[in-house]
Amino acid sequence: MSKHPNPYGNIPDAELWSEAFARKQDEKDALSQLRSEFIIPTKGDLRNRRYGPLKKSTTEAAEADEDEESIYLCGNSLGLQPRRTREYVNRYLETWASKGVFGHFKELEDGLPPWLHLDDALKEQTAKLVGALPSEVVVMETLTANLHLLMSSFYKPTADRYKIIIEGKAFPSDHYAAQSQLAHHNIPLSALVTITPPSPSSPYLSTEHILSVISQHAATTALVLLPGIQFYSGQYFDIELITRHCHSLGLVVGWDLAHAVGNVPVKLHDWNVDFAAWCNYKYMNAGPGVIGGLFVHDHHGKVEDAQPPTEDGTHANHTGDATHDNDTKLIYRPRLSGWWGSDKNSRFRMENKFVPIPGASGFQLSNPSALDMTSVLASLDVFAKTDIESLRQRSLRLTAYLEERLLRYEGGPPPYKIITPMKPSERGAQLSVLLNPGLLDHILEYIEEHGVVVDERKPDVLRIAPAPLYNSFWDLHRFIVHFHEACKKAVTLAPITRKHHIDEPVVTANVVA
Ligand SMILES: *Cc1c(COP(=O)(O)O)cnc(C)c1O
């Protein structure tokens, strides 16, 4: 028995493998209804070479197949479209068409908040998702841009402390961002420390290992930047413990929550996270490349009047390395600024006096896209139908079911292994599957033909992500049926010519005639 018994572990094969079992799990779960909030593309829609939904087919059999919902398990890459998004965006378009510039301020009886206040309208709901105070979050810019903006404020290298610690398989954009921050400060690229797995056979990074690398470099490090959930392996890091460890060593730590937000409940405020950033198009479902979000802890977002020293000689503010603006006598954390980060009441006076909005909003630069924010609002209104803790409970069940089905391969050892941690607390919705070499293309071809959408990472990894808002047990059942059929076909087809990219002896392909 493993240390983390799967809740589906004791169900007999015949029952677990049945469609009826999957259907029953969906019926039992009230949150299954949230699927109807989304447009699930049909198999025909995906095959269609025109952008809209598919027109009806001629034969009945073809029609039945084409009308069946696709098996979309790729919400970690691009979330599906909520039905209400179109309605909200139409309202935005109508407001623009009928009100012009007044759309910025005019309170409408039936519309969305005026564009000028859309950022505030998003705060409350975003804050709930990431465990923050509303003042600690803002929807702005995009993920990589936000990482740069945050690093410009939080990465303050000195002669002694200048290194940036990231993980070895960091998402390329995060890697480039950290690298270019070093270059920007004229620091050699050797100052980029990467945490790599101790064993070449697995991408797993134990918390002890992460802490020990951080400790080892602490005396010369200025910033730690880590993902909440690792995009490739799906590993969910212990944000609270790692943050506490960094702070005990005097280090600032930032978190990239691209794969965590809308997926797992995080408590950024209580965990004392310094800063974080994310995008809103993966588990957040607000559309490709849509405006992102960021978090700056209350400690770091303060804007205070410069006070004369108090009687005991200390200053009344807590912002460590704050700046002092002689004009306005304000003390706040230095940052790269723009007009949208300045106080709303004086923003339009054009007096060239930057008065940062306290909290995360003070990090804004530009007038944000109202179209983008409208789309984010639609997505958040879907999340508002439940709460992230309940969603996580559903997600744990879906992922456990997927895992158990993957582990039970009919007729021998499977030609793949799961590289995502087995422990539920160490993963979100995604399971990454490392296929035996040479199988990926055959398998993808087969499952795509059958309406399955998953993410591939060449040469051998499939990432399968049941998004708890819209994926069902029935989706996972259909996925497994097609995937296992594809595996059985692929092992008879694929000559195993390449060496595995992770040098562990993998389970031998099941090439029975
Ligand atoms: C998706 C993702 C990105 C993408 O960044 P954009 O700036 O939105 O293009 C960056 N980092 C991580 C870890 C991601 O998962």
Side-chain angles (χ1 to χ4, degrees):
M1 200 70 198
S2 85
K3 268 197 302 184
H4 309 289
N6 186 302
Y8 301 95
N10 293 328
I11 315 274
D13 282 349
E15 190 183 348
L16 190 78
W17 288 343
S18 70
E19 179 174 339
F21 182 82
R23 295 278 198 187
K24 200 158 89 199
Q25 305 314 302
D26 285 328
E27 279 160 28
K28 279 198 325 207
D29 189 341
L31 290 181
S32 297
Q33 295 166 9
L34 289 171
R35 181 180 175 93
S36 66
E37 289 281 332
F38 289 86
I39 302 173
I40 314 283
T42 64
K43 293 179 178 182
D45 290 341
L46 294 181
R47 291 184 195 125
N48 185 9
R49 294 182 62 93
R50 310 185 69 142
Y51 70 80
L54 184 69
K55 300 276 180 307
K56 290 292 170 204
S57 284
T58 41
T59 71
E60 262 177 46
E63 189 175 310
D65 182 59
E66 284 175 344
D67 285 349
E68 187 178 312
E69 285 170 344
S70 66
I71 304 159
Y72 192 89
L73 297 167
C74 208
N76 55 344
S77 185
L78 181 69
L80 288 179
Q81 186 183 127
R83 290 187 186 281
R84 62 182 68 219
T85 304
R86 186 190 304 262
E87 185 214 320
Y88 284 41
V89 167
N90 278 338
R91 278 202 258 171
Y92 153 80
L93 287 172
E94 290 297 341
T95 305
W96 178 24
S98 62
K99 303 289 183 285
V101 71
F102 298 115
H104 279 299
F105 349 91
K106 200 175 176 80
E107 296 283 351
L108 301 171
E109 283 165 15
D110 56 351
L112 303 168
W115 303 326
L116 191 57
H117 301 301
L118 265 174
D119 53 352
D120 290 333
L122 300 175
K123 275 170 176 294
E124 202 103 353
Q125 298 191 52
T126 299
K128 271 189 201 148
L129 282 181
V130 297
L133 305 174
S135 62
E136 290 174 318
V137 294
V138 65
V139 169
M140 63 178 266
E141 308 295 335
T142 50
L143 174 51
T144 310
N146 284 334
L147 288 176
H148 275 302
L149 290 173
L150 289 163
M151 282 195 272
S152 82
S153 182
F154 285 89
Y155 174 54
K156 295 290 173 197
T158 64
D160 297 330
R161 291 191 143 194
Y162 52 91
K163 289 179 185 166
I164 301 178
I165 302 180
I166 62 173
E167 42 101 21
K169 266 202 175 262
F171 195 89
S173 203
D174 301 43
H175 193 102
Y176 306 150
Q179 240 179 7
S180 58
Q181 284 286 329
L182 293 171
H184 181 66
H185 289 277
N186 288 320
I187 293 169
L189 296 188
S190 56
L192 188 67
V193 177
T194 53
I195 308 175
T196 49
S199 149
S201 68
S202 156
Y204 183 66
L205 294 170
S206 71
T207 305
E208 301 81 74
H209 179 63
I210 295 170
L211 300 187
S212 85
V213 176
I214 293 172
S215 296
Q216 193 190 326
H217 292 276
T220 47
T221 293
L223 177 74
V224 179
L225 180 68
L226 292 171
I229 292 186
Q230 216 284 345
F231 80 97
Y232 178 80
S233 66
Q235 183 181 347
Y236 179 17
F237 294 110
D238 191 334
I239 298 177
E240 182 179 21
L241 186 58
I242 297 168
T243 299
R244 199 183 314 133
H245 182 75
C246 288
H247 289 172
S248 76
L249 298 166
L251 296 173
V252 170
V253 57
W255 292 91
D256 181 329
L257 301 181
H259 284 262
V261 66
N263 178 7
V264 290
V266 291
K267 304 236 171 307
L268 301 184
H269 178 85
D270 290 350
W271 295 345
N272 230 348
V273 162
D274 293 304
F275 70 87
W278 55 89
C279 50
N280 281 314
Y281 51 80
K282 293 173 180 169
Y283 294 98
M284 294 300 297
N285 316 310
V290 78
I291 195 166
L294 64 77
F295 166 92
V296 174
H297 200 283
D298 209 26
H299 306 315
H300 298 298
K302 289 193 158 59
V303 178
E304 297 181 322
D305 288 330
Q307 299 284 345
T310 54
E311 274 162 42
D312 65 358
T314 58
H315 283 266
N317 73 79
H318 333 275
T319 30
D321 47 345
T323 197
H324 186 182
D325 183 326
N326 279 327
D327 250 14
T328 55
K329 301 273 192 291
L330 290 176
I331 294 179
Y332 55 89
R333 191 175 180 87
R335 67 202 60 185
L336 295 179
S337 304
W339 75 318
W340 223 258
S342 199
D343 176 42
K344 276 188 182 178
N345 297 320
S346 58
R347 186 186 286 158
F348 295 96
R349 281 192 216 132
M350 306 307 195
E351 288 171 339
N352 287 343
K353 248 188 212 170
F354 183 65
V355 181
I357 303 170
S361 289
F363 285 74
Q364 291 178 98
L365 298 183
S366 293
N367 181 2
S369 159
L371 174 57
D372 278 33
M373 288 198 293
T374 300
S375 187
V376 174
L377 185 63
S379 300
L380 287 170
D381 283 352
V382 177
F383 277 95
K385 301 208 138 216
T386 177
D387 58 80
I388 189 71
E389 280 77 18
S390 310
L391 216 49
R392 170 65 167 164
Q393 290 312 308
R394 171 174 166 80
S395 177
L396 287 168
R397 291 191 289 274
L398 282 164
T399 308
Y401 172 74
L402 173 63
E403 179 184 46
E404 191 61 30
R405 293 291 307 261
L406 282 166
L407 291 173
R408 291 202 218 174
Y409 187 75
E410 210 174 352
Y416 55 79
K417 67 170 187 174
I418 302 171
I419 55 172
T420 303
M422 289 194 75
K423 208 169 158 181
S425 62
E426 286 188 330
R427 66 190 188 196
Q430 168 188 329
L431 293 183
S432 300
V433 169
L434 176 66
L435 302 167
N436 285 359
L439 300 182
L440 181 80
D441 289 335
H442 293 305
I443 289 176
L444 271 179
E445 192 186 312
Y446 182 91
I447 62 179
E448 277 175 12
E449 238 177 69
H450 289 81
V452 172
V453 185
V454 290
D455 178 274
E456 59 174 301
R457 292 288 137 156
K458 296 246 180 242
D460 299 311
V461 167
L462 288 182
R463 302 185 308 158
I464 307 149
L469 274 179
Y470 51 80
N471 283 124
S472 59
F473 287 84
W474 178 57
D475 282 340
L476 296 176
H477 169 77
R478 292 183 302 152
F479 164 74
I480 284 287
V481 168
H482 295 310
F483 176 61
H484 280 173
E485 195 54 38
C487 287
K488 281 175 191 147
K489 285 203 156 61
V491 292
T492 64
L493 291 174
I496 297 170
T497 49
R498 274 180 299 107
K499 201 178 173 306
H500 223 288
H501 74 297
I502 287 181
D503 335 301
E504 191 185 62
V506 285
V507 185
T508 336
N510 178 28
V511 216
V512 268

